[in-house]
Amino acid sequence: HHKIIVELFSGKGYLSKEVYSHLNADKLIMVDNDADLQRDAKKLVGLSEKNIFVLRDAEEAMSHIPAETTLIDIDPYGSCGKILQSLFEKWRPKHPFILMTTDGSILDMRPYVAHPNMWAEKYLSNRPNVEKDDFPDVLDELLAKLGNHYGFKAEKINGVWNSRRSAYYAGYLITPQ
């Protein structure tokens, strides 16, 4: 049973409607900074005491994530590396929770080729070259480094590419140490 599910970058609410609303959480908090998308999400997911819509930038919302949260979904358009860094800088888990990530930065690796230090900045990676197939390891390494710094262990539950291999989805069990 999930007490609170937080979906950052909830967009039109498709994931909340199709997946998270069926988990019967006490609260489903959908955060997005686009008023039009939030309006669409309210229509799709529906208004209720359990469904909370927050019109705010995800980075601002991170420091307000309830302590009882049991699942956080992060699905920005593009890289989730800096977002993950911000999450753990602004919010410290008090108990284990599930972290779901979607990263589509692999769609356009040109900035990373032109500026190799972007891997270090966004993913805290020391790798000189990162190929597409290396990406799952880069994400795992980022969470391990964040865990060492902020006092948690990240255990990968699952990871999978979408059918076009343009986005990587991963789930982690985050356990405070």
Side-chain angles (χ1 to χ4, degrees):
H1 172 77
H2 286 282
K3 288 187 74 78
I4 300 173
I5 296 173
V6 176
E7 185 183 4
L8 300 173
F9 308 96
S10 60
K12 292 185 176 186
Y14 294 128
L15 190 59
S16 287
K17 172 68 175 169
E18 297 301 324
V19 178
Y20 297 136
S21 65
H22 299 290
L23 297 180
N24 296 318
D26 295 341
K27 287 184 186 174
L28 174 56
I29 302 172
M30 292 156 274
V31 179
D32 206 288
N33 66 351
D34 185 312
D36 292 334
L37 293 177
Q38 280 266 304
R39 186 184 62 247
D40 292 345
K42 286 177 183 176
K43 288 178 189 173
L44 182 67
V45 179
L47 297 173
S48 77
E49 290 180 8
K50 288 184 172 187
N51 297 337
I52 300 169
F53 299 88
V54 178
L55 184 61
R56 176 181 271 178
D57 181 74
E59 298 248 359
E60 291 174 22
M62 288 175 186
S63 58
H64 302 287
I65 293 174
E68 305 83 17
T69 298
T70 53
L71 189 150
I72 297 176
D73 183 285
I74 297 177
D75 183 4
Y77 185 81
S79 169
C80 69
K82 291 296 279 184
I83 301 298
L84 288 169
Q85 292 177 55
S86 292
L87 172 66
F88 292 108
E89 179 182 310
K90 296 175 181 180
W91 183 74
R92 300 290 197 285
K94 305 287 187 242
H95 56 82
F97 76 99
I98 295 171
L99 173 66
M100 304 299 296
T101 63
T102 301
D103 197 299
S105 60
I106 215 76
L107 274 171
D108 187 2
M109 291 184 69
R110 289 175 294 190
Y112 296 92
V113 172
H115 305 286
N117 62 333
M118 287 181 73
W119 287 111
E121 179 186 324
K122 290 191 177 191
Y123 295 95
L124 306 178
S125 177
N126 298 329
R127 293 175 181 232
N129 298 311
V130 176
E131 300 293 326
K132 192 173 192 174
D133 290 335
D134 299 325
F135 189 73
D137 293 334
V138 170
L139 191 57
D140 293 348
E141 291 165 7
L142 169 62
L143 281 163
K145 288 176 183 177
L146 291 172
N148 287 336
H149 186 76
Y150 293 111
F152 65 84
K153 180 183 175 197
E155 180 183 345
K156 184 184 271 183
I157 299 167
N158 198 0
V160 65
W161 290 98
N162 70 357
S163 61
R164 297 178 313 231
R165 290 183 55 88
S166 58
Y168 183 72
Y169 308 99
Y172 297 86
L173 175 61
I174 305 295
T175 307
Q177 300 293 295

